[in-house]
Each structure stands twice: as C-alpha cells, then as structure tokens.
Amino acid sequence: MRRGFTGLIIPVLILLLWELFGRLGDLPVNAVSRPSDIAAAWFNSLIDGSLLLATWQTFETALLGLTIAATVGVLIGVALGLMPLLEQVTGPTIEALRPIPAIAFMPLALMMFGFGVALEASIVAYACVWPILIVTIGAVRAIEPRLLEVATTLEMPLPARLWKIVLPAAFARINVGLRIAAAIALVVAVTVEIVLNPRGLGYHLILAEQSLHVALMYAQLFWLCVIGYLLNMVLRNIGGPSRAWGTAQ
Amino acid sequence: MKRATITKLAALAFAASVVLLWQYLAELRLISPIFFPSPSRSIDVLIYRMEDGSIWHPLSATSLRMVVGWMLASVAGVAVGATIGSSRLARELLDPTLEFIRPLPASAVIPVAILFLGLTNAMSLTVIAFGAIWPVLLASVHGFSSVQPALLDVSEVLGFSRWQYLLKMALPSALPDIMSGLRVSLAIALILTVVTEMQSSLPGLGWDIFFAQRSYRSADLYAGLILLGILGFTANYLILLLERRTVRWRNL
Amino acid sequence: MLSIRRLTAIAALLLTGLAGLCSPALAAPAKVTIGFPPATDFLAAYVAKDQGFFAQHDIDATMTLIPVVNNIPSAIVSGSVQIGMSTIPTLLQAVDGGLDLKLVAGAARHTKAHPFISLLARKGIKYSKPSDLIGHTVGVPGINSVIDIMLRKWLINNHVPLNKVKIVEAPLPQLPNVLKSGSVDYVAIVEPFRSKIVANHIGYIAAEYFAEVNPNVLVSCWIADGGWVKKHPQVVKNFRAAIGEGLAFIRKNPAEARKIEKKYIHYNSPSFPTFDNKARPQDLKFFIKLGEELHLYRHKLDPKKIVVP
C-alpha cells in the first residue's frame, strides 16, 4: 500500500503545478491545456467510444508486429547465438540493415499493402526484430557453457535442447529485450499512424491536432502513456518480478 | 588466421547476395521503380553526390546530432538507472512516473518540443535524448540491481561512501548490461535524429530522405537510406569495440 | 420427367434470370474510397456524401480523412484510395515524377474576393512592403507546395532576391507555434490556421500574396489513378455530377452546408472559398509555366494528357 502511494507523489505534484499555472493564465492556451480540460476531453472520447476503438486498432497492429518480430527474432537469435560462425557471416549484413529506421520503409510498405493493418504491422515487425535479435544472441551466448555441455553429453535432440535448456536459461535476458521491443512496438505503431495510416490512436491524435482540439490531443497522449504503462506491467509480471530486480534488495 | 579470412569473405559474400536479391526484385518491377529503385540507380546517386560534395554536410549534421543526443541520453540514463537500481526509495518515487512517460512516441512529443524550443538543434537533441534514454535506463536499472550483495557487504566493510560503492563496485558490475543498453540506445538515437529532421526541416540525412520521397526521387531516397545504414553500421562497430574493451577489462 | 409444366417453369426462371442480368438497376454501385484533408475546399464532396448525391449516382462512397496530404498520391497508386485530393502543383510534380495520375474534377479556386492563403507576420514585426522580408525567415507547410512556390513567385515579381529570404518548412498544425516561438518571423499559411493566428493575437495578415500573384486560379482538385479512370469512365462522370449537385446545395442552403462542414472536418472556416468543380487544361497552364520557371520539373508536361475530358 505504501509503495503505491510513494509512486504517486511526483505525478500528483506535477499535475497540481500544471493546473495552477493554467488557472493563473500562464500557459499558452492554444498549445497547452489545463489538466482539468484534458480530463474532460478524455472522458468525452471514452464515452463516445472513439478512444477505445482507436486503442484497439493500435494495439491490434502493434501486437501483430511484435509477435512476428518476436518469433523471427528469437528463432534467428537462438540460431546465431548457438552458432558463432553463422553470426560472424551474417553479422555485417544485420548491422547494416539494423540502423535503417523502420519508418523509412513506409512508402514501400504503403505500395505493397495499402492502408490498413498489414502496413503498420510490417513496419512494427521490422523495427522490433532487431533489439529482440541482439538481446537473444547475447542471452544465448551468456548461457553457462556447462549447461550446454550437459545437453550434448545427454545427447538431447535439438528441440528438447532448445526448449529445456537454452530458452529457460536465456529467458530473463530475452524478456528484457521483449519489454524494450514492446515499448518500441507501441511507439512505432503510433508513429506510422501519425505519419500515414488512417486508423488508431496516432491518427486520432493528428485529427485532434489539426481540428485544433488541443485538450483532446493531450488527453490522447496521456492515454497512450496509460496503456503503455499497463502493457509494461503485464510484461513485467510475465517475466517474474524477482528476476527483473535481482537480489540487490 | 586463415579461418578468420574465410569467415570475413563469407560475410562479404552473404551481404553481396542480399544486394543481388534486391537488384533482382527491382528488375522484376513488381513494384513501380518510382517507389522501389534498383541498387545500381541508388549507388549512382550516391557516387554523384560524393563527387559534387553535397553529401558531407547532411552526413556530418546527422552524425553530430545523433552522437550528442545519444551521449545526453546515456549519461542521464546511467545516472537515473544507478539511482533507481540501487535505492529502493528512489525506485518507488521515480519508477511509476518514468514507466508512465516511457511509451510516448517521439513524433507525438515533437509538437510540444517545437513550441518551447522552436525549429532548432536544441529541439532535436531534446527529443532524441527523450527517446534514446529508455534502453540505457532499463539496462542500467537491471545492471545496478543485479549487483551481488556480497559486493555491498565488502564495500561496507571497507568503509566506502555511497558514491565510492556506486563508482568502484556497482558500476563495473553493471557494465555489461549498460553496454548492451547503450548499443540499443544508439540505434534509437539515429532513428529519432532522422524523425526530428523530417519534422522540422533541419539539414541532414533525414530531411534529404523525406524531401526525396516527396519529390518522387526514389533513387535519392534509397541512396539516403544506404548512407543511413553505413552511418549506423559504423557507429555500432565503434561501440562494439568499446564494449569489448570494457568487458575485457572487467574480466581481469 | 420433363412435363410441359416443368419446362415452362424452367423457361420462366431462365428468362427472369436473363432479364435480371441485363437490367442496369441490379448493377452494384461502384465502391469508391475518397481521401481528403480537413479543408473546406472539398465541402461539395462532404455534402454529396451526406445528402446522398453519391448514392443517387451509383457511387458507394467511403470518406477517409487523411491528415498528411503528401501520402494521397501513394495511397491512390496502391489502390487504397480511388479519388483523392491534390493541389495542382502537387499533381504536376507527381506526374513529372512518373506517377500516372489524372485530374478528375476541380474543388476550389483561390480568388481575390475570397482569399484563404496569405502571408502573416508575427505581432511586433513591422511589415510594409515585400522587401521587408529580406534577412527574415518564412515558415511554409511544405517546400514546393503550392503555398511555397506562389510565395517565391511573389518575391520574384517584387524583385526580392530569393537567396536573401530563408524559407523553412514545418508541419501545418505547428506553424502557429513556430511563428509564436520566434523560429520564423513570417508564415505563408492556409485556413483554418490563418484565422487562428489572428484570433489568438499571435500575428496579423501582412500581405495577400497569393491573390496578388494570380487573382483567380484553380488551386485544389480531385485526382485519380490513370488506369482506374480508363476502366471506370462512367464513375468519373457520376462523381462530377454528384459534386455538381453538392455545389448547388451549398449555394441554396449555406447554413445547412456549414453544419455538414463541421461534421466532416470538425471546424468552420470563416468564409467559403470559391468552389469550382470544372477541370480544364488551361487551369494547369499557369502552374506548369510557374514550375518551369522555378525548375521544378524534369519533363515537359502536357495538360491535355493530365485532365480527364
């Protein structure tokens, strides 16, 4: 209980100061709204269903892209982690492709898929696969070599080796990578919607901005933070809280 | 020695085959060349721009922005990560707020940044730092909170202050995690540099690519992407060298 | 057992079926996705959808609001949008870039009587003549956009050297902020932000530069993919007819039209522009000439090939 309250101190303080500045008239009203106005705008968009629909649309594509990236990233990452030679051969190509921003492929993806889920999911997948890949390779390489030797001594078949030894041992680190990727997935999905795709939260954000509903725009930004926070909480609990925070406490 | 050479040649061959695949797909014309040029056309543009010198200014501008933004993010990320990872009070105070702000996309933050900082490099650096801090932060928290308790005991016995503990024991222990976080942050810093350049017409590779796309000059666009790839590749290679050095030192 | 009754029944069924196939009334309406930005220029289309004119002309229209207009040509070529918005210069640049796009109908003209694109100065900046811009920065919503190239033409007409005025780009909704924060001293901007800047005391209208360069020019229009137009000539004609009815409605019921405007783009601009749904080759000539003067094109453009007759 106490832990929950401590966490709220800073946000509540910020909100109070913000509202105060707003009421004193110090804020540039056409660019920054008061928290009370933002709350009202948020409430209205919740009631009329538009917020939830947009949230679902964004979530849908982010999740799809993330799943594709996780599958591809973990599979290839495990392979490259277990076979250093393969990693050295493919490494330079991966390092050359990785820094190209996923959003740079938007025109291409638009031509291939047109507006819709596939456009966004493909960009999200491209953006998320690299961190997952890197973290997985690192995680597999960090596996205690004796564990792998045990697997060889027992002559375990490959699937069992992966499932029983490699993945569990690498899981904690892979999970950190997945958490980073999940945040990236949400951000990239919203970015694609801001720039291009007429669906989801990013699209509604731009609509609010262009129709000069500043309070609504900020309400949607806050909402983005809220769902991102909830998403991370869910992911953290999947990984196991004790693992994430170690034994320092 | 011979094995290493073979591996390097194989890596080169792999990369070359990817490029050939691209050339083949482009020539199939499944997608109009207006949007999907061949590598040969893109490289032609690259060479042309190198010859007339128009390549160096945007390249250096983007590189500089990326590095400075990344350094800001790294310093802040390690500092905050160290605080949170080693102090339960700090974690309870700061963690919820940070976790709340983290999901914000840079594209959504740019309008507010422009309002307060205008179409300036300061705006770009702020946005880059805001977005690139998270991987370093997360990794630092993980690294600092995974320090073996034995080290804490030892530092108490030796009478270390908190500062000395953090600097001499916790930081080296957390270094591998921090380094991997730094690598991811660098990649994000590059992406955000490009995004902010696109949104604010600051001279750089991002702006060049954006403008090329708008003017339907696809070869220029992909030439810019290739340059971005080279820039990112070089940056990543340099930080890998740094990572290997520090890890080697740590294992002594 | 082929009795006479069975045969008659089968024959009747076949005849009805044949009649049904031939009957035009049973043909499905054409599915058309219409992409547009939040601008009053396209009010006739919103009206046509709202009042059912599209449906009456056999068009099953899906209206899609697309905030970033640069994406519309790509969306058209990829098939996500069939008929989309464009400005004349953007259309010309896309055609010059190799896209097979055609001008289907006009939307709005910019006239001296009803200007909606102007040069605004920040409060505190003294403006009296075009040469006052020397040494200052002007914000535009897009380099090479119609707003930008008309600004450059205006500077040329007034003998202001282009290299002495800095023109920068910022996304349209952020231009008021950029002006206010001092990054730029002037903006060349379109409604509704034009009125918003004045209403919020950020700046004032310095010059009606657009109208000065050309007091009556078609500026926004509807475009479509060339291949699609070839396959659906009747749909194009129906689209124009529906838009025409939308225009007539606006003229007769301006108050009602305002309500529809609010519904589709969530704001009301202070006054209606001069609508015009006709598309003629001569409408393109002005901008082709201007583009050539500013070295925007790589090829010679033939307006007759771009306009759908």
Side-chain angles (χ1 to χ4, degrees):
Chain A
M1 251 309 159
R2 189 194 142 239
R3 180 164 184 246
F5 284 141
T6 334
L8 288 174
I9 292 178
I10 294 186
V12 168
L13 215 68
I14 295 179
L15 281 174
L16 281 174
L17 282 171
W18 188 343
E19 181 80 22
L20 201 68
F21 273 126
R23 293 207 179 256
L24 289 176
D26 264 10
L27 288 179
V29 150
N30 49 315
V32 182
S33 308
R34 294 187 305 214
S36 44
D37 295 330
I38 296 175
W42 174 79
F43 193 61
N44 285 332
S45 68
L46 192 67
I47 294 182
D48 73 18
S50 60
L51 192 65
L52 290 175
L53 176 64
T55 310
W56 166 245
Q57 286 172 333
T58 301
F59 230 87
E60 184 184 33
T61 42
L63 205 62
L64 182 59
L66 184 63
T67 312
I68 298 173
T71 316
V72 172
V74 170
L75 279 177
I76 299 185
V78 166
L80 295 185
L82 288 177
M83 293 184 272
L85 200 62
L86 202 60
E87 203 223 327
Q88 284 174 345
V89 170
T90 57
T93 312
I94 291 177
E95 291 307 318
L97 288 175
R98 189 163 66 92
I100 302 177
I103 46 175
F105 290 104
M106 277 195 288
L108 190 61
L110 175 61
M111 296 302 353
M112 295 192 335
F113 303 116
F115 288 148
V117 177
L119 164 65
E120 211 171 300
S122 59
I123 304 282
V124 169
Y126 185 88
C128 291
V129 77
W130 308 113
I132 295 179
L133 184 65
I134 292 178
V135 169
T136 307
I137 295 177
V140 168
R141 276 215 233 119
I143 295 179
E144 178 70 56
R146 277 174 289 182
L147 283 174
L148 295 172
E149 284 169 33
V150 164
T152 321
T153 320
L154 291 176
E155 289 186 9
M156 290 177 94
L158 188 61
R161 205 180 294 211
L162 291 174
W163 193 245
K164 294 210 174 118
I165 307 249
V166 175
L167 281 178
F171 188 68
R173 284 204 162 92
I174 294 182
N175 192 39
V176 175
L178 283 176
R179 280 176 59 200
I180 294 177
I184 294 177
L186 190 60
V187 167
V188 172
V190 172
T191 305
V192 175
E193 290 161 6
I194 287 176
V195 178
L196 194 60
N197 213 13
R199 74 196 295 274
L201 284 170
Y203 177 56
H204 281 79
L205 190 72
I206 287 290
L207 286 184
E209 194 187 13
Q210 287 216 333
S211 54
L212 317 175
H213 285 154
V214 182
L216 182 60
M217 185 185 97
Y218 278 95
Q220 285 166 342
L221 284 178
F222 272 118
W223 181 241
L224 261 176
C225 294
V226 167
I227 56 174
Y229 183 78
L230 292 174
L231 177 68
N232 280 317
M233 275 215 315
V234 167
L235 284 173
R236 206 187 286 192
N237 284 324
I238 291 180
S242 56
R243 274 185 196 257
W245 298 114
T247 49
Q249 317 311 329
Chain B
M1 217 37 204
K2 198 166 177 231
R3 183 135 193 240
T5 329
I6 294 183
T7 319
K8 287 210 175 94
L9 284 173
L12 213 62
F14 183 73
S17 56
V18 170
V19 174
L20 282 173
L21 181 67
W22 173 9
Q23 179 82 22
Y24 175 65
L25 286 173
E27 279 173 18
L28 276 181
R29 302 218 159 193
L30 289 170
I31 303 176
S32 157
I34 299 173
F35 298 100
F36 190 52
S38 63
S40 44
R41 269 177 59 210
S42 312
I43 292 181
D44 279 342
V45 169
L46 214 52
I47 295 177
Y48 177 73
R49 289 193 73 192
M50 278 201 280
E51 282 173 357
D52 79 2
S54 61
I55 212 180
W56 305 114
H57 182 60
L59 185 58
S60 56
T62 301
S63 312
L64 203 60
R65 250 176 235 126
M66 169 187 78
V67 169
V68 175
W70 171 72
M71 289 205 292
L72 288 171
S74 305
V75 169
V78 172
V80 178
T83 317
I84 294 183
S86 57
S87 151
R88 213 178 79 176
L89 178 64
R91 182 165 32 113
E92 285 179 16
L93 264 181
L94 292 174
D95 200 48
T97 313
L98 287 177
E99 284 293 301
F100 190 74
I101 302 178
R102 188 153 68 95
L104 266 186
S107 310
V109 166
I110 289 176
V112 180
I114 290 183
L115 170 70
F116 288 109
L117 296 166
L119 295 173
T120 57
N121 279 316
M123 181 276 293
S124 174
L125 290 174
T126 310
V127 173
I128 296 170
F130 177 84
I133 197 179
W134 305 110
V136 180
L137 186 70
L138 263 187
S140 300
V141 170
H142 184 257
F144 275 93
S145 57
S146 313
V147 173
Q148 290 171 4
L151 285 176
L152 184 62
D153 296 336
V154 168
S155 80
E156 278 173 7
V157 164
L158 289 176
F160 275 1
S161 72
R162 186 166 192 79
W163 255 123
Q164 285 170 312
Y165 163 69
L166 282 177
L167 214 60
K168 292 198 179 153
M169 304 218 125
L171 183 61
S173 161
L175 214 50
D177 283 306
I178 295 178
M179 292 306 299
S180 74
L182 284 179
R183 268 215 292 161
V184 180
S185 274
L186 189 60
I188 292 182
L190 181 58
I191 294 173
L192 290 181
T193 310
V194 170
V195 171
T196 50
E197 285 173 5
M198 286 180 177
Q199 292 270 301
S200 57
S201 69
L202 289 165
L205 287 180
W207 170 249
D208 284 356
I209 290 173
F210 184 55
F211 194 63
Q213 189 229 323
R214 243 205 309 187
S215 321
Y216 303 104
R217 294 197 150 90
S218 61
D220 292 55
L221 198 171
Y222 279 77
L225 288 181
I226 293 175
L227 265 182
L228 265 186
I230 295 176
L231 176 60
F233 181 85
T234 315
N236 191 67
Y237 183 69
L238 290 173
I239 201 178
L240 253 181
L241 283 181
L242 186 66
E243 190 175 353
R244 284 207 188 119
R245 272 257 159 101
T246 47
V247 170
R248 206 187 309 154
W249 164 76
R250 185 214 165 203
N251 281 337
L252 275 172
Chain C
M1 273 183 287
L2 277 159
S3 66
I4 302 280
R5 264 184 43 197
R6 280 239 166 132
L7 274 171
T8 328
I10 295 173
L13 270 170
L14 278 172
L15 278 171
T16 326
L18 225 64
L21 278 172
C22 298
S23 162
L26 283 180
K31 275 186 142 330
V32 178
T33 304
I34 299 177
F36 58 94
T40 312
D41 303 27
F42 311 100
L43 184 54
Y46 317 150
V47 168
K49 169 72 182 175
D50 199 71
Q51 299 292 310
F53 301 145
F54 280 138
Q56 281 167 25
H57 285 273
D58 264 343
I59 293 181
D60 177 13
T62 308
M63 308 293 284
T64 307
L65 184 62
I66 299 178
V68 182
V69 303
N70 291 319
N71 298 322
I72 294 182
S74 308
I76 290 177
V77 174
S78 76
S80 289
V81 167
Q82 276 69 56
I83 298 180
M85 162 276 182
S86 182
T87 60
I88 304 290
T90 311
L91 167 63
L92 294 172
Q93 280 165 50
V95 170
D96 181 62
L99 271 69
D100 181 21
L101 293 171
K102 299 270 188 270
L103 178 58
V104 162
R109 306 187 77 86
H110 192 277
T111 59
K112 199 161 172 188
H114 297 287
F116 54 91
I117 301 175
S118 320
L119 179 73
L120 275 69
R122 188 175 59 249
K123 223 179 186 172
I125 300 277
K126 288 213 175 305
Y127 171 85
S128 56
K129 53 195 187 307
S131 55
D132 286 342
L133 261 66
I134 292 181
H136 289 266
T137 312
V138 185
V140 296
I143 304 281
N144 287 348
S145 66
V146 68
I147 292 179
D148 173 36
I149 64 179
M150 289 293 266
L151 180 69
R152 282 190 260 163
K153 178 67 176 162
W154 181 72
L155 290 172
I156 293 175
N157 286 353
N158 286 289
H159 310 292
V160 178
L162 285 178
N163 60 352
K164 295 248 169 74
V165 178
K166 190 155 180 239
I167 298 179
V168 297
E169 170 181 319
L172 181 58
Q174 279 143 48
L175 275 175
N177 293 338
V178 167
L179 181 66
K180 187 165 183 209
S181 72
S183 283
V184 302
D185 296 321
Y186 298 88
V187 289
I189 203 167
V190 66
E191 293 291 357
F193 300 97
R194 176 179 173 266
S195 299
K196 187 181 183 238
I197 291 177
V198 174
N200 285 319
H201 308 292
I202 299 175
Y204 61 95
I205 296 180
E208 295 291 0
Y209 79 96
F210 206 100
E212 279 177 34
V213 174
N214 191 324
N216 189 333
V217 65
L218 183 68
V219 64
S220 50
C221 58
W222 294 105
I223 60 175
D225 177 65
W228 183 84
V229 166
K230 245 197 215 145
K231 279 198 214 123
H232 304 94
Q234 190 57 41
V235 178
V236 172
K237 291 205 178 69
N238 292 346
F239 178 79
R240 284 179 176 160
I243 296 281
E245 285 187 35
L247 287 180
F249 181 91
I250 296 172
R251 252 176 265 131
K252 283 199 216 105
N253 311 290
E256 191 63 35
R258 284 221 166 272
K259 282 205 206 107
I260 297 177
E261 182 192 10
K262 190 83 190 260
K263 179 175 160 195
Y264 276 82
I265 60 178
H266 311 294
Y267 70 86
N268 285 119
S269 99
S271 67
F272 287 157
T274 310
F275 297 115
D276 181 4
N277 68 329
K278 283 187 280 299
R280 293 161 294 225
Q282 57 253 49
D283 290 314
L284 300 181
K285 287 217 175 90
F286 172 77
F287 282 111
I288 292 180
K289 190 150 166 280
L290 179 53
E292 282 168 4
E293 189 180 337
L294 294 174
H295 307 292
L296 288 175
Y297 308 132
R298 285 173 283 183
H299 310 100
K300 189 104 182 96
L301 298 169
D302 180 3
K304 285 200 215 77
K305 290 218 180 96
I306 303 175
V307 179
V308 176

